[in-house]
Amino acid sequence: MEWITTRPIAHRGLHQDAAAPENSLAAFEAAIAADHPIELDVQLLADGHLAVFHDRDLRRLTGKKARIADQTLATLNRYRLCHTDQIIPSLAEVLACVDGRVPLLIEIKNEKRVGPPEQALVKTLAGYRGEFAVQSFNPRSLHWLRQSAPHIPRGQLARRPQKFLRSNLLLAWLSAPHFIAYNVKALPNLPTTLARSYFDLPLLAWTVRSQAECDRAAQYADNYIFDPF
């Protein structure tokens, strides 16, 4: 887990609009070429597999009116990211592509029923030989992983504004995270200072998009997740 605190992490890969859309295999290859760990998002598909995609709907990145939750592995091939030849990859495809060359920081996006997405994630990651950690805004999702897959490193995502309990990390007892990831614009703050100083939890700052934010992350966090700037 040393990489969590020592190597800046490329947010949704090292993406660049049409050249390498976010969460695409092209963006991940670019991050690998630059030797950056990769942050990516996973969501459950209708057929029980996991897609690597951030938004709930496809409009922003594909121009199509559809929900990611309604898709299957077969239908993902219909959509192109940002008018390129890149398609929405599955997590299994990303794991095969990365193949342990850099660590992965996987955000599981689940604000609904806990269980199915987490089960799919554990199943897909089984046997993967590369380094990885999982993070989520949902403490209950991380609690499920804590109970069912305690070997997987967990990170509690939080931000401001957010619900009081979550923004102040008051549900961290439920998720028992190995690290915290907090919005760089909200640093410093008491909850992250306490987590870092008294509970010795590494702190990641997200998402760094300027030199000023990079300097803030260097001052108040142990590492950062960044977009190219």
Side-chain angles (χ1 to χ4, degrees):
M1 282 280 290
E2 181 184 3
W3 59 274
I4 281 286
T5 58
T6 60
R7 298 169 65 182
I9 301 167
H11 184 234
R12 305 177 198 169
L14 206 57
H15 57 88
Q16 189 178 7
D17 297 328
E22 65 180 59
N23 277 328
S24 69
L25 294 183
F28 300 149
E29 286 289 0
I32 292 167
D35 198 32
H36 286 299
I38 295 166
E39 186 270 354
L40 56 87
D41 308 281
V42 296
Q43 298 195 57
L44 189 67
L45 297 172
D47 59 2
H49 293 281
L50 291 169
V52 177
F53 198 76
H54 176 270
D55 298 357
R56 291 182 180 181
D57 65 78
L58 307 185
R59 182 172 295 181
R60 179 175 67 90
L61 289 172
T62 73
K64 306 298 183 180
K65 186 178 179 181
R67 296 194 317 150
I68 189 67
D70 294 332
Q71 307 307 311
T72 66
L73 284 182
T75 63
L76 289 184
N77 293 324
R78 300 175 183 173
Y79 304 102
R80 295 294 181 270
L81 295 169
C82 300
H83 306 289
T84 69
D85 62 351
Q86 296 291 302
I87 63 171
I88 301 169
S90 69
L91 178 58
E93 289 172 325
V94 171
L95 295 180
C97 170
V98 176
D99 194 26
R101 289 181 286 171
V102 296
L104 296 175
L105 180 55
I106 302 168
E107 179 183 344
I108 183 166
K109 304 189 78 64
N110 179 21
E111 292 296 332
K112 297 184 178 180
R113 185 167 67 93
V114 170
E118 292 78 13
Q119 289 174 345
L121 179 61
V122 172
K123 180 179 179 181
T124 307
L125 287 170
Y128 182 66
R129 297 181 180 180
E131 294 183 278
F132 63 88
V134 175
Q135 61 179 1
S136 178
F137 282 102
N138 189 344
R140 290 174 177 80
S141 182
L142 295 176
H143 178 69
W144 189 98
L145 291 171
R146 175 188 176 188
Q147 295 293 316
S148 301
H151 62 284
I152 295 179
R154 303 177 302 277
Q156 181 64 66
L157 276 160
R159 63 173 178 262
R160 286 183 177 168
Q162 195 182 23
K163 292 182 179 179
F164 179 82
L165 291 178
R166 293 194 185 187
S167 65
N168 288 285
L169 302 177
L170 295 178
L171 294 177
W173 62 269
L174 187 65
S175 57
H178 300 100
F179 61 93
I180 303 294
Y182 213 96
N183 187 347
V184 66
K185 295 179 180 179
L187 298 178
N189 57 62
L190 181 60
T192 58
T193 299
L194 290 174
R196 193 181 182 202
S197 300
Y198 290 94
F199 296 97
D200 201 28
L201 291 176
L203 175 62
L204 302 183
W206 61 267
T207 300
V208 167
R209 296 187 172 99
S210 69
Q211 186 58 51
E213 291 179 346
C214 187
D215 294 341
R216 180 182 289 270
Q219 184 174 1
Y220 297 114
D222 299 291
N223 194 12
Y224 59 91
I225 302 167
F226 72 96
D227 278 337
F229 63 90

